[in-house]
């Protein structure tokens, strides 16, 4: 049991590192600005709910455009990217975050997708984190797309080691620790002791803070993993504020090495530079974090799951993550609501 908990905690931190890596791409602008290129979004994904029935595809609107084409019309300069933290030992992706970059309006939204989110699949264990074992990160992308009814344009995955190296590369992070943390596990050689309040964290210390969930006496976040997600999101805001600064351009070399060593993505360097430019232009004040709405204490067929609130998810996606010009409906999504 302890071994499983250790890996899960570490993967939470790896997902945080994935977002950090995306932000530090801004530091590459100084070297590669002339190669900046906007990525090309996907038209559809395998699980998309936007495809019209065959009998509807020939229907015409005034002006000659088809209804299906209109339904699939995307917003300009709007991109979705799935970020995942990879388990080096088990080859799994326990923590995922979906980023929506609305470059036209200068907004970046990030939603945490709880690992135990219930999926409408035929697998015996119907959790989002199990998708990786049924087809790698491509399967995870497909399931997120099908679940939310939107295309996932690109992916970025990162291994845990990147976390410590990145924080150290930017000379540590000033962070307000939300609670007293006192945890010792000799079996893991893991010792976490921090007092509540502002502290300058190096890479090793930051990893401990985002891993922590409860103390040895059982006190901790009232909402367990959801509470830890909140701390991770606050940490990301702190990293974004510190990283999105011109003063960090002198750290291009170390950051580039971290990216090359620990990050995998289907985006080209020129695309990453363009995304970095947009993040720099938006600024940390326009980066907003969310958690997929649901119940972390839910059950389905005798198993413990994170049960989504379909109406709340629909509102969240339409407000921040919908890349299409039309409003989504519940029929576009594939949310299993027992």
């Amino acid at each position: 049991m302890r071994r499983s908990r250790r890996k899960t905690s570490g993967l939470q931190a790896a997902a945080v590192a994935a977002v950090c890596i995306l932000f530090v791409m801004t530091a590459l602008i100084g070297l590669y600005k002339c190669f900046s290129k906007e990525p090309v979004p996907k038209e559809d994904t395998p699980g998309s709910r936007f495809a019209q029935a065959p009998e509807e595809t020939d229907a015409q609107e005034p002006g000659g455009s088809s209804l299906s084409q209109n339904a699939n019309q995307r917003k300009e300069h709007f991109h979705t990217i799935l970020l995942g933290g990879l388990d080096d030992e088990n080859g799994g992706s326990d923590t995922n975050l979906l980023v929506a970059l609305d470059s036209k309006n200068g907004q970046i939204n990030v939603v945490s997708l709880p690992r135990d989110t219930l999926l409408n699949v035929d697998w015996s264990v119907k959790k989002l984190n199990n998708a990786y074992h049924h087809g790698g990160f491509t399967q995870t992308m497909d399931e997120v797309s099908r679940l939310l009814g939107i295309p996932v344009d690109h992916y970025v995955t990162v291994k845990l080691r990147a976390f410590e190296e990145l924080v150290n590369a930017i000379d540590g992070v000033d962070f307000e620790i939300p609670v007293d943390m006192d945890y010792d596990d000799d079996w893991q050689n893991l010792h976490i002791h921090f007092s509540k309040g502002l502290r300058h964290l190096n890479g090793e210390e930051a990893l401990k803070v985002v891993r922590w969930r409860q103390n040895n006496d059982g006190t901790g976040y009232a909402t367990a993993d959801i509470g830890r997600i909140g701390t991770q999101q606050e940490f990301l805001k702190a990293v974004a504020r510190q990283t999105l600064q011109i003063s960090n351009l002198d750290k291009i070399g170390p950051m580039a090495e971290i990216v090359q060593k620990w990050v995998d993505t289907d985006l080209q360097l020129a695309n990453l530079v363009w995304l970095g430019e947009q993040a720099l232009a938006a600024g940390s004040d326009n980066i907003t974090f969310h958690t997929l709405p649901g119940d972390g204490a839910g059950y389905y067929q005798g198993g413990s799951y994170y049960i989504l609130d379909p109406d709340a998810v629909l509102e969240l996606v339409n407000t921040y993550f919908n890349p299409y010009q039309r409003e989504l409906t519940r029929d576009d999504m594939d949310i299993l609501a027992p």
Side-chain angles (χ1 to χ4, degrees):
M1 178 65 70
R2 282 183 174 179
R3 185 172 180 83
S4 176
R5 182 175 61 200
R6 175 183 63 84
K7 292 176 180 175
T8 298
S9 300
L11 289 170
Q12 298 280 353
V16 174
V19 179
C20 296
I21 288 292
L22 184 61
F23 290 144
V24 302
M25 292 302 176
T26 59
L28 295 173
I29 297 173
L31 282 180
Y32 299 107
K33 187 175 178 63
C34 61
F35 297 109
S36 174
K37 182 179 180 181
E38 182 174 0
V40 178
K42 289 183 179 178
E43 293 295 330
D44 284 296
T45 57
S48 175
R49 288 291 189 270
F50 291 104
Q52 298 289 324
E55 62 270 21
E56 296 177 326
T57 57
D58 293 331
Q60 297 290 316
E61 292 183 322
S65 62
S66 71
L67 291 176
S68 62
Q69 289 175 335
N70 184 62
N72 285 305
Q73 189 171 358
R74 290 188 61 138
K75 300 171 184 175
E76 291 184 339
H77 311 302
F78 193 107
H79 302 272
T80 59
I81 304 166
L82 187 63
L83 309 176
L86 297 187
D87 182 350
D88 295 340
E89 297 181 24
N90 287 344
S93 174
D94 263 19
T95 305
N96 301 282
L97 302 97
L98 183 66
V99 176
L101 170 64
D102 183 356
S103 145
K104 185 176 181 180
N105 295 303
Q107 297 290 327
I108 298 174
N109 283 277
V110 183
V111 61
S112 296
L113 311 175
R115 63 190 297 274
D116 292 337
T117 297
L118 176 64
L119 299 179
N120 187 16
V121 294
D122 57 5
W123 315 325
S124 58
V125 179
K126 304 177 186 298
K127 297 183 178 183
L128 177 60
N129 71 316
N130 201 34
Y132 191 94
H133 300 290
H134 288 266
F137 205 66
T138 297
Q139 186 70 44
T140 303
M141 293 174 67
D142 289 347
E143 294 305 329
V144 171
S145 174
R146 191 162 60 88
L147 180 72
L148 303 181
I150 60 175
V152 177
D153 297 322
H154 299 287
Y155 72 87
V156 176
T157 63
V158 64
K159 295 183 179 179
L160 178 59
R161 182 62 181 172
F163 184 88
E164 289 189 44
E165 293 191 10
L166 173 64
V167 173
N168 288 332
I170 59 175
D171 299 326
V173 175
D174 293 327
F175 185 64
E176 187 80 27
I177 298 175
V179 295
D180 291 334
M181 300 180 176
D182 289 292
Y183 179 80
D184 289 288
D185 189 332
D186 293 332
W187 185 81
Q188 298 185 51
N189 193 27
L190 178 62
H191 305 281
I192 303 175
H193 298 285
F194 298 103
S195 297
K196 178 181 178 180
L198 183 64
R199 180 177 177 130
H200 187 78
L201 302 172
N202 62 27
E204 181 181 1
E205 293 168 335
L207 180 58
K208 289 181 178 180
V209 168
V210 298
R211 289 181 66 178
W212 181 88
R213 184 176 61 179
Q214 66 179 17
N215 295 317
N216 288 110
D217 63 5
T219 60
Y221 297 124
T223 52
D225 279 339
I226 302 305
R228 181 164 54 186
I229 285 175
T231 294
Q232 291 167 359
Q233 292 176 347
E234 290 301 316
F235 184 81
L236 283 177
K237 294 176 185 178
V239 171
R241 285 192 297 268
Q242 184 161 327
T243 304
L244 298 178
Q245 298 176 5
I246 298 299
S247 60
N248 275 321
L249 289 179
D250 63 342
K251 302 178 178 67
I252 286 175
M255 290 179 176
E257 290 179 6
I258 294 171
V259 171
Q260 184 177 18
K261 187 174 182 180
W262 301 113
V263 175
D264 181 44
T265 178
D266 61 349
L267 291 159
Q268 300 298 313
L269 177 59
N271 302 145
L272 293 170
V273 173
W274 185 88
L275 292 170
E277 290 177 318
Q278 308 315 305
L280 185 61
S284 60
D285 291 341
N286 290 311
I287 302 173
T288 307
F289 294 87
H290 315 265
T291 299
L292 211 57
D295 179 11
Y299 283 87
Y300 178 74
Q301 295 183 347
S304 176
Y305 287 91
Y306 187 84
I307 307 295
L308 297 181
D309 179 335
D311 292 332
V313 170
L314 179 64
E315 181 180 2
L316 177 74
V317 173
N318 269 326
T319 304
Y320 301 108
F321 296 92
N322 180 10
Y324 287 89
Q325 294 190 13
R326 76 173 180 91
E327 289 280 300
L328 300 181
T329 69
R330 285 277 302 275
D331 290 339
D332 293 307
M333 300 179 171
D334 192 9
I335 296 176
L336 184 57

